[in-house]
Amino acid sequence: LHQQTSPSQIPSPTPFVPDTKTFLSLIGRNLSQHAAKIPTWESLFSLKSMQLRKLGVEPARTRRYLLWWRDKFRKGEYGIGGDLKEVKNSVAHVRVIEVPADRSSRTLAGPVASKKLIVNVPPDIPVNEPKLRALKPVNGLKVQGAHTIVGAFIEPVKGTGGSIATVKVQEGMWEQRRGEKVDGGERRKVQVRRKRKLEELRKAKS
């Protein structure tokens, strides 16, 4: 028997992923063509594989892929941009800021003055220091050099030297290509990452 999906199993949309069409567009594999068949957020997270098949979501591997991403989203596991809160018209601004370093980063030579973070804030709102401390760093991006934001699907804002950029919803941003395995797939992931860590340690000692 098919179990009914409880309301608690249906996650809330996010500012970056506000509706079904955006979700299907982000995960790619041409699933956005089925947006009209899955019109509501509730149906997106409650339809079973057989129901998706009747709606014409084919082949089976495409349905499995959709269900896989659906489960990840439930767990709060997003692709680039999924954790952004300040989003307008499918576009979010990110910028490099400097905040006082944690006490844990102090050394015998003295305290570290500051650290650089990439945060998501509206482009036209000045941010004072108390608010900076409360901001959460954006996942999937990093600072290169003095203040340049780098990461997938980043578009630097002209005249900022790379310290401010935009992240815009695009087709296939979160797509995992067919046959692509992260660190050798689930079975080999621990082994591969351990081997990589040992190699990094060996190089650091040499």
Side-chain angles (χ1 to χ4, degrees):
L1 295 177
H2 291 300
Q3 296 181 343
Q4 295 294 321
T5 303
S6 67
S8 63
Q9 292 178 298
I10 299 177
S12 298
T14 70
F16 198 73
V17 193
D19 51 42
T20 299
K21 183 178 180 180
T22 303
F23 180 87
L24 295 176
S25 177
L26 285 168
I27 65 176
R29 295 200 184 178
N30 207 28
L31 276 161
S32 58
Q33 67 175 319
H34 301 296
K37 304 171 187 176
I38 313 173
T40 69
W41 190 258
E42 290 72 19
S43 61
L44 173 64
F45 284 91
S46 60
L47 289 171
K48 308 300 182 184
S49 181
M50 184 59 67
Q51 293 172 311
L52 290 169
R53 179 183 178 184
K54 290 180 179 179
L55 289 174
V57 181
E58 294 283 2
R61 65 171 178 265
T62 297
R63 294 195 298 275
R64 289 194 297 269
Y65 177 73
L66 171 55
L67 296 176
W68 176 74
W69 255 117
R70 200 171 72 174
D71 187 54
K72 283 174 67 66
F73 196 92
R74 280 199 187 101
K75 297 174 182 178
E77 298 175 7
Y78 311 127
I80 183 72
D83 59 332
L84 302 179
K85 305 297 184 185
E86 299 290 343
V87 183
K88 185 176 181 180
N89 298 325
S90 300
V91 179
H93 281 74
V94 292
R95 69 173 71 172
V96 176
I97 62 170
E98 289 193 28
V99 297
D102 299 329
R103 292 181 178 180
S104 59
S105 62
R106 296 173 183 268
T107 66
L108 293 177
V112 177
S114 63
K115 61 180 179 181
K116 296 175 181 177
L117 304 175
I118 299 173
V119 296
N120 167 221
V121 291
D124 54 348
I125 297 179
V127 184
N128 55 30
E129 185 175 311
K131 187 173 182 180
L132 289 180
R133 292 174 180 270
L135 291 176
K136 183 180 179 181
V138 176
N139 290 324
L141 304 179
K142 63 181 182 179
V143 181
Q144 186 177 73
H147 52 246
T148 302
I149 301 172
V150 294
F153 300 99
I154 287 296
E155 184 66 33
V157 174
K158 293 181 180 179
T160 66
S163 63
I164 300 178
T166 58
V167 183
K168 182 179 181 180
V169 171
Q170 298 179 45
E171 177 79 26
M173 281 181 73
W174 297 1
E175 182 173 349
Q176 184 180 43
R177 307 296 178 183
R178 290 188 181 93
E180 177 182 344
K181 294 184 178 181
V182 179
D183 287 340
E186 292 297 327
R187 294 182 178 180
R188 297 188 60 233
K189 185 179 294 183
V190 174
Q191 179 183 357
V192 170
R193 291 184 176 180
R194 181 174 179 273
K195 184 176 180 180
R196 181 190 301 156
K197 185 65 176 178
L198 291 173
E199 181 65 16
E200 290 174 353
L201 291 173
R202 185 188 67 78
K203 290 182 179 179
K205 292 180 180 179
S206 61

